[in-house]
Amino acid sequence: MKNGFKNISGRFVPLDIENVDTDQIIPARFLKATTKEGFGANLFRDWRYINDDSSQPRMDFVLNQKAYSGSILVAGKNFGCGSSREHAAWSLVDYGFKAVVSSFFADIFKSNALNNGLLPVTVSESFLSQLFSLSAASELKIDLEEQTITIQETGLQETFEINAYKKTCLMNGYDDIDFLLSIKDTITEYEKIQEKNYE
Amino acid sequence: MGKTLFDKIWERHVVKEIDGGPSVLYIDRHFIHEVTSPQAFAGLNARGVNVFRPQQTIATADHNVPTENQHLPIKEELSRLQVEALKKNCAEHLIELYGLGHPFQGIVHVIGPELGITQPGMTIVCGDSHTSTHGAFGSIAFGIGTSEVEMVLASQCLLQSKPKLMRIRIEGQLNKGVVSKDLVLHILSKLSASGATGYAVEFAGSTIRNLSMEARMTICNMSIEMGARCGMIAPDETTFAYIKNRLFAPGQSKWENALAEWKQLFSDDDAVFDKEVVLQAEAMEPMITYGTNPGMGISVTGSIPSLDQIPSNDRTAFEKALKYMGWEAGTAVKGKKVDYVFIGSCTNSRIEDLRQVASFVQGKHKADDVEVWIVPGSKQVEKQAQEEGIDTILEQAGFKLRQPGCSACLGMNEDKIPAGKYCISTSNRNFEGRQGAGARTLLASPLTAAAAAITGVVSDVRDFLN
């Protein structure tokens, strides 16, 4: 059980790069933990710091630029491709992100995000380029219930798709395991039928 | 209307449909490893839930293990703790573990097939994106996150939405020096690194039919690099012959029944796919990547595209990739200096790969200034290579066979490529820093990698044939 939510609003961090893979989000050498906490410190580690040294931030990387802040990450298409590591979703959540906006998400990342209460918002290419052209002070509003994303200063709005089941889960903080555990009898019944049919 | 291979397997595994939502999909086999499972077990323990069907989960240690001196304790503390956590979790939850020192240990996607655990018609998952490998046997196999690992441990089920279906047909005969890795890199260069996102991909056609199981696994393995949910190939006599007599294959009394069922697993003639792609094998050449995603591949004799050949939307990414690689647009890749050669990973570490490398390097010698790491996919591959004398051939050529694991494919253990160095790798990802911070990866086939090990530069393996 996690905390549910209906809206996310505020400023956003623009990461205008396509095909951001999960090795960039969290490099493999940081996957050695056996808990889910603390990954935010290494989010985008090799883009964030020079020579892997956290006292030497790369000032051309957006997370190190004071002008940008907020709990919404806006990224180029095919975000989260590559490795299935859920550590990528954990590191974004641990850093403070609540939603990621892109024109295209890799499948496994999308599931991982949804399973951690991180909302993936898929928008059109043209809406995405509008977002990248906004000033740092601009604010967005994501309404999960209405399935809309709005640029506050212009009122420009787009609707986004989300599976009805997943939407209910996010709004109420339910997770899939609660549901699967609640249908164990059905699963056992299925197993019995399969055994009879295929043995 | 006929059914696709995917439909036939999917429909049989749906336990329950949810209104307006995903399906509850039953999972036949679940593989786990040390890196993506500890938090799942912690989740189960926190809920006070037992593993629902422990006999259907198989564990191994592969991502984080050293590839030398595996008999000694793991030096790196965090790696050791992770491997120990797997051991403890498996013991507590009665899961079979093929850990370090076990004769079945190895890369999870190598051991499943070689033990006969992977079979046609199954649903197979693992907390690793290259689980798509197992689709080569005509199964629905895909990578999952750790929350989903927890779901499978807790209920043997997952909530899944049905993907769209794509068929990629490849017809004709592969040219000399061109192997399945080149074929899949060729497909990737046509479709891009996101070209199959949202799709389950079935590979079909005469070229695929003529491939060995090892070669088919290489192709399905890299279907995730196109973004595909899974890759699959309908089982045939090649598949059945591979599985027969393997340790966990159906025994004599069950074999005929299993075979009769497996023979139903194909896409019907009138089955409809959401997308169809047809490619000709004759057009394929040995491939190499020049950039930082697996879709950035060219013929080994080709040139890196010039900026004006790249669609305007992709130019920033293209320039960023070339800057990272330290290369100029429009230049040839053949002849460029190589510092490291890595032959291994779940893509290309099977016995057939090692045989190809050995037969190529026999009577030749490694270039002096190249470091070569050859890492077998499993203890069984290692043993077979020793029995066939492959280790001796490699040693005579100046190489050494290391011990099994994921190794330099993802640089989690100490097998990392130093910053700025160039590595020809038979693995699956050339992302920035994948093989170590700042490392520059060139993806290629085992043959092309072996040729570079001999010459010290990117080479066309065809120059050595005949």
Side-chain angles (χ1 to χ4, degrees), chain A residues 27-182:
Chain A
R29 62 186 187 278
F30 300 112
L31 307 187
K32 297 183 183 188
T34 51
T35 62
K36 293 182 183 180
E37 288 77 37
F39 288 102
N42 296 317
L43 175 68
F44 293 115
R45 179 82 189 188
D46 293 334
W47 285 352
R48 228 162 121 191
Y49 303 115
I50 297 165
N51 298 328
D52 201 12
D53 178 355
S54 55
S55 67
Q56 291 190 66
R58 288 181 198 270
M59 293 321 293
D60 59 351
F61 186 60
V62 70
L63 287 193
N64 294 326
Q65 294 167 0
K66 287 210 173 66
Y68 297 102
S69 64
S71 60
I72 302 169
L73 180 69
V74 177
K77 75 172 177 202
N78 199 25
F79 186 83
C81 59
S83 159
S84 61
R85 60 188 70 164
E86 194 162 317
H87 311 68
W90 297 336
S91 58
L92 288 160
V93 170
D94 191 52
Y95 186 85
F97 288 114
K98 296 193 170 96
V100 186
V101 181
S102 179
S103 56
F104 203 97
F105 289 95
D107 277 342
I108 307 178
F109 175 80
K110 197 169 171 180
S111 301
N112 288 341
L114 288 165
N115 284 329
N116 286 280
L118 177 68
L119 179 64
V121 178
T122 308
V123 297
S124 66
E125 290 282 350
S126 63
F127 192 83
L128 189 67
S129 44
Q130 289 271 351
L131 294 179
F132 284 130
S133 66
L134 294 173
S135 72
S138 306
E139 297 198 352
L140 303 179
K141 182 178 179 193
I142 299 168
D143 187 325
L144 176 58
E145 198 163 19
E146 297 296 321
Q147 297 178 217
T148 56
I149 174 167
T150 312
I151 299 170
Q152 301 279 42
E153 60 190 19
T154 61
L156 190 71
Q157 189 177 77
E158 206 170 81
T159 57
F160 61 89
E161 294 292 318
I162 183 169
N163 184 298
Y165 165 84
K166 276 292 174 192
K167 179 172 158 181
T168 311
C169 286
L170 284 176
M171 286 175 51
N172 298 290
Y174 300 154
D175 69 25
D176 287 358
I177 300 183
D178 298 330
F179 175 77
L180 289 168
L181 289 173
S182 76

Side-chain angles (χ1 to χ4, degrees), chain B residues 354 357-359 361-365 374 382-402:
Chain B
L354 298 188
V357 171
S359 85
V361 303
Q362 190 159 29
K364 301 185 181 75
H365 202 274
I374 303 184
E382 181 188 38
K383 186 164 163 261
Q384 198 171 347
Q386 286 160 350
E387 283 167 5
E388 293 181 17
I390 288 174
D391 55 336
T392 314
I393 296 171
L394 294 176
E395 267 167 41
Q396 284 165 350
F399 309 136
K400 189 176 168 245
L401 198 59
R402 294 166 81 99

Side-chain angles (χ1 to χ4, degrees), chain B residues 232-265:
Chain B
M232 62 201 311
I233 294 171
D236 58 14
E237 292 304 325
T238 306
T239 323
F240 309 143
Y242 179 98
I243 298 172
K244 199 169 184 182
N245 298 325
R246 288 189 186 259
L247 189 61
F248 296 103
Q252 247 174 354
S253 62
K254 291 184 175 172
W255 179 257
E256 288 305 323
N257 279 347
L259 206 57
E261 255 179 58
W262 295 347
K263 286 184 175 173
Q264 306 303 312
L265 297 172

Side-chain angles (χ1 to χ4, degrees), chain B residues 313-327:
Chain B
N313 279 347
D314 298 336
R315 283 184 191 166
T316 319
F318 174 76
E319 287 182 303
K320 186 174 186 292
L322 286 191
K323 190 178 169 213
Y324 182 84
M325 293 301 288
W327 287 346

Side-chain angles (χ1 to χ4, degrees), chain A residues 21 23-24 28 31-33 35 47 78 82-84 86 112 165 175-178 184 190-191 194 198, chain B residues 12-13 26 39 47 53 76 79 82 128-129 145-147 150 154 159 194 410 412 429 431-432 434:
Chain A
D21 60 78
D23 274 83
Q24 307 316 315
L31 307 187
K32 297 183 183 188
T35 62
W47 285 352
N78 199 25
S83 159
S84 61
E86 194 162 317
N112 288 341
Y165 165 84
D175 69 25
D176 287 358
I177 300 183
D178 298 330
K184 265 196 174 168
Y190 166 88
E191 287 177 322
Q194 289 299 310
Y198 294 99
Chain B
R12 198 183 133 181
H13 287 85
Y26 191 79
Q39 293 87 348
R47 287 171 200 264
R53 296 288 179 245
E76 219 269 323
S79 301
Q82 218 171 34
D128 185 281
S129 60
T146 298
S147 295
E150 189 179 337
L159 291 165
S194 59
L410 83 167
M412 267 200 85
R429 289 186 176 135
F431 297 153
E432 284 183 30
R434 171 79 178 180

